[in-house]
Amino acid sequence: MMLSEADLLALAITLKLALISTAVLLVLGAPLAWWLATTTWRRKYLLEALVALPLVLPPTVLGFYLLLTLGPDGPVGSMMEALGGQPLAFTFTGLVVGSVIYSLPFVVQPLQDAFAAVGRRPLEVAATLRAAPLDRFLTVALPLARPGFLTAAVLGFAHTLGEFGVVLMIGGNIPGETRVASIAIYDHVETLQYAHAHWLAGSLLILSFLLLVVVYATHGRFRVVRT
Amino acid sequence: MSIRARFQVARGAFRLDVDLQLPAAGVTALFGPSGCGKTTLLRAIAGLDRIAGGFLEVDGEAWQEGERFRPPHRRPLGYVFQEASLFEHLDVRGNLEYGRKRSPDGASTASLAETVDLLGIAQLLERDPRTLSGGERQRVAIARALAVGPQVLLMDEPLAALELERRREILPYLEALHRNLRIPVIYVSHVPDEVARLADHVVLLEAGAVRASGSVQEVFSRLDLPLAHDHDAAAIVEAQVSGHDAEFHLTLLEFAGGRLTMAREDLSPGSRVRLRIAARDVSLAVERASGTSILNILPATVDAIEATDAAQATVRLLAGGVPLLARVTRKSVARLGLEPGQAVFAQAKSIALLS
């Protein structure tokens, strides 16, 4: 027995979710990490703590609040309805929103470290070479922080693969839409279909391991939680 | 082209309070011990740090005045940092091109080639900056700063991060810049020897304030400043090569104060050189000595005398208007009855070529 068609679909949804979430995370995380690495604001630790929150919160807590926010009666959900859309709860888009928040620290922290390692000097040099602030960010800070981007992308991707609690709360279990691999595994175990569970769990295990091998092979080390 | 700078900072124990008019040409050294505020001043001129309430005018244009502040990327300057700080994601050529591409009215490709030549980095263009030696890196950094076609070049102790040997390797290039650059250079340093070699004008900073500002000859020989009382105090003399003595293997020099002789150097007649005459190597006589081995005997006038320590005094002389220093014992001063205005003969035992 191999992966069933339903399981393959769940795996595909998982990969699609991880890919899109990672892309969104990098686009949003880079300026946020840049700001955190360079600001002289004394209370930046407030924002750092907020970004790190998903590391310690049970995913169900995060999912619960997201459900309230994104659901038809929540502020975002009702706004979406007022604009002629539909609430994000129980949709793939809602899953992306949840994943982005859930994996935020895994992307922002390596990026912030990478930007901090680049330091102020190369940007000062660029300023004396006529580069405006955005130009300096794009042509000096980003390329010099490139190793951090690889780490951030792989960690964000791998962490989204393993998402369960948030999806359970806001995704429901709609095949082809929000049914991801981790939920499918849970279902298989619930219904005592251990062989199915094995195939799917094994696939995720190997995939995650390979991704982490890439990170360690190219870097040697990374930190997720700063001390 | 002239630079006026007025800055005041008080940050904890650190203070800076300067009001300067810097010359429009040549190399101006901001000189003083570490912590005297020279780097702070340079960064304020570059706009890398903003000192509230400061004033800076370059070539008639206000770069900072009241609330107006022109950010560094819109100031037509070149800046060389203490560490070369080359962009490691670009090769040497990419580093040189970075600023040049962004300064449309700056240097042309032709002058880039000239700069590359001047700093001797033509064979390094395709290299990865990480594979360069410290001296090579700093030469590339200087060329990169010049490639934007700046109106003024700011240098923050460009030799400080290098070992002695690398420093020796790079000094000739800086001297070449000194001779060839038409733009003013502001050079931060705490090393008297570098300043003696490179500067035309010196701003001596002490605890955030300007202690003295004048020509390098003047500042190095003023008896009210600590430099002239240093163990290695020396006068700086600009002279012209007048010829060579083939028989005794000597080089003959001339300056306003007279003729000088030194062991032969490979210099063509007519070329201008900078000499260093150490105060310790100059002795004084009230009559022209005969029967002495010393070749360099210059008629001079005593300008001022100050005790340097309990036993020694430093005498400032003027030879044809050029200041010289002599370190003698206080006993000699008393015995010869030396006093300002007196005519004496300065006998220089040795003369060193600076450039």
Side-chain angles (χ1 to χ4, degrees), chain A residues 121-150:
Chain A
R121 183 49 54 81
L123 291 136
E124 288 188 343
V125 172
T128 66
L129 295 172
R130 311 284 181 276
L134 182 64
D135 188 7
R136 304 203 277 270
F137 175 72
L138 295 174
T139 60
V140 175
L142 283 189
L144 286 176
R146 203 173 49 193
F149 273 85
L150 183 67

Side-chain angles (χ1 to χ4, degrees), chain B residues 27 40 53 102 105 160 175:
Chain B
V27 175
T40 307
R102 289 167 172 79
D105 45 27
E175 283 160 5

Side-chain angles (χ1 to χ4, degrees), chain A residues 160-177:
Chain A
T160 308
L161 283 187
E163 183 176 335
F164 179 77
V166 177
V167 182
L168 200 64
M169 297 296 282
I170 64 165
N173 195 359
I174 307 162
E177 172 79 17

Side-chain angles (χ1 to χ4, degrees), chain B residues 178-196:
Chain B
H178 183 188
R179 285 192 298 274
N180 291 294
L181 276 190
R182 281 177 290 271
I183 56 168
V185 177
I186 303 178
Y187 187 101
V188 163
S189 178
H190 70 276
V191 184
D193 187 51
E194 270 173 53
V195 175

Side-chain angles (χ1 to χ4, degrees), chain B residues 29 37 52 59 65 82 155 194 213 231 296 307 313 338 345:
Chain B
D59 202 13
E65 183 175 22
Q82 206 174 97
M155 303 178 99
E194 270 173 53
S213 174
H231 181 69
N296 294 307
L338 294 179
F345 291 91

Side-chain angles (χ1 to χ4, degrees), chain A residues 2 13 24 28 42 58-59 61 156 171 177 194 208-209 219 227:
Chain A
M2 293 263 297
I13 295 282
V24 173
L28 296 181
R42 285 194 187 171
V61 172
E177 172 79 17
Y194 275 51
S208 303
F209 177 68
H219 280 71
T227 47

Side-chain angles (χ1 to χ4, degrees), chain A residues 4-131:
Chain A
S4 71
E5 207 159 299
D7 286 347
L8 279 173
L9 190 59
L11 212 49
I13 295 282
T14 305
L15 291 175
K16 184 175 147 198
L17 177 65
L19 269 176
I20 292 175
S21 301
T22 305
V24 173
L25 276 165
L26 289 178
V27 171
L28 296 181
L32 177 59
W34 170 250
W35 186 82
L36 285 172
T38 55
T39 183
T40 50
W41 186 46
R42 285 194 187 171
R43 310 215 186 285
K44 73 163 182 175
Y45 57 81
L46 291 174
L47 203 65
E48 289 182 306
L50 200 63
V51 170
L53 215 46
L55 290 173
V56 294
L57 271 188
T60 43
V61 172
L62 191 61
F64 173 65
Y65 285 119
L66 279 169
L67 184 63
L68 293 184
T69 315
L70 302 180
D73 300 328
V76 176
S78 49
M79 197 180 71
M80 296 288 291
E81 277 193 320
L83 292 171
Q86 52 162 353
L88 291 175
F90 310 115
T91 64
F92 182 75
T93 313
L95 279 196
V96 172
V97 173
S99 303
V100 164
I101 294 170
Y102 177 58
S103 297
L104 197 61
F106 290 82
V107 170
V108 169
Q109 292 190 355
L111 288 183
Q112 189 182 339
D113 285 351
F115 285 133
V118 169
R120 203 168 59 149
R121 183 49 54 81
L123 291 136
E124 288 188 343
V125 172
T128 66
L129 295 172
R130 311 284 181 276

